[in-house]
Amino acid sequence: MANVSKKTRDATRKRLLATGAAHLARDGLERANVDAIAVAAGYAKGTFYNYFDSKEAMFGAVIAEWAARATEIEAEADRASAGVRLRLTALAEADVRVVRENEDFAKVVIREVLAFRPETYPMVIAQLDPFVAKVEQVLHDGVAAGEIRDEPSVTQQAMMFTGLLALSYVQHWGSGGAWPALDEVPAMVVGVFLDGAAMRGGP
């Protein structure tokens, strides 16, 4: 690859990642096939191995690529001076934006989280840590301001909030986009998380 320009290398890697993400989203890590990914991207199998040591290495790169973009967008959404509801909504809107930009990447992440495989789960969770940490900070500030309770702990609440987002995406994809629409996810998740399903003024 010494004679290939950086621009060409970057374009090839990006194409392999995008194709790999689509195959992983459709087939899962176990069934995804390196030959099929390379051919679908328009390259020989050897080209794949010029960029990734293995299918698992490509999976890690797909997760890292998605997480890096998510972190970038979520940083833009931080509204430190606002209350918990507005800040959580902003984070959820940022997450939806990331999902919308590349649903194949998002499907890979969520599919592997729900599969709970020992060989991939720690890698995926590590990539999600920056988002969970942002949610934790919002909740910690909310506790300090007296807006929300600290039971369960803010860490547990942050994981619950992130899980609600993930399940909303699963429902969106499972329904063929019928419900909920991606635009509906932030308000729905924040409402369920902060208000629950009980009638206001009820028991």
Side-chain angles (χ1 to χ4, degrees):
M1 297 197 348
N3 296 324
V4 179
S5 70
K6 183 180 185 305
K7 183 177 180 180
T8 299
R9 289 197 306 272
D10 289 347
T12 300
R13 185 177 186 277
K14 184 175 181 180
R15 187 167 179 177
L16 284 167
L17 277 176
T19 305
H23 280 241
L24 287 165
R26 186 189 68 203
D27 302 328
L29 181 59
E30 291 182 343
R31 292 177 53 214
N33 181 274
V34 168
D35 287 349
I37 291 169
V39 169
Y43 303 111
K45 182 177 181 179
T47 302
F48 178 96
Y49 286 109
N50 284 336
Y51 292 86
F52 309 105
D53 293 335
S54 64
K55 179 174 62 175
E56 290 72 21
M58 184 202 66
F59 167 75
V62 166
I63 299 297
E65 184 86 5
W66 189 82
R69 181 59 180 149
T71 300
E72 178 184 326
I73 289 177
E74 286 148 11
E76 297 171 3
D78 191 18
R79 300 174 182 174
S81 62
V84 169
R85 188 177 299 272
L86 285 178
R87 291 177 72 187
L88 287 179
T89 300
L91 282 175
E93 288 172 346
D95 203 59
V96 166
R97 181 177 162 194
V98 175
V99 168
R100 193 188 300 280
E101 281 189 2
N102 199 323
E103 291 197 28
D104 285 335
F105 277 58
K107 286 177 182 177
V108 171
V109 175
I110 293 172
R111 181 178 185 140
E112 292 304 318
V113 167
L114 296 179
F116 194 66
R117 285 201 294 248
E119 65 271 25
T120 59
Y121 189 77
M123 181 193 308
V124 176
I125 292 301
Q127 296 295 345
L128 293 176
D129 271 350
F131 180 79
V132 176
K134 285 184 176 66
V135 175
E136 278 192 65
Q137 184 59 57
V138 171
L139 296 175
H140 177 78
D141 293 346
V143 169
E147 292 185 68
I148 59 172
R149 298 173 299 177
D150 59 355
E151 293 181 5
S153 71
V154 292
T155 299
Q156 292 168 328
Q157 290 186 56
M159 293 301 293
M160 290 166 61
F161 180 78
T162 306
L164 282 172
L165 277 173
L167 290 174
S168 297
Y169 300 142
V170 171
Q171 172 61 33
H172 168 76
W173 293 321
S175 69
W179 180 83
L182 285 178
D183 288 340
E184 296 173 322
V185 167
M188 182 182 75
V189 168
V190 173
V192 169
F193 179 74
L194 291 179
D195 305 326
M199 293 286 289
R200 291 190 177 182

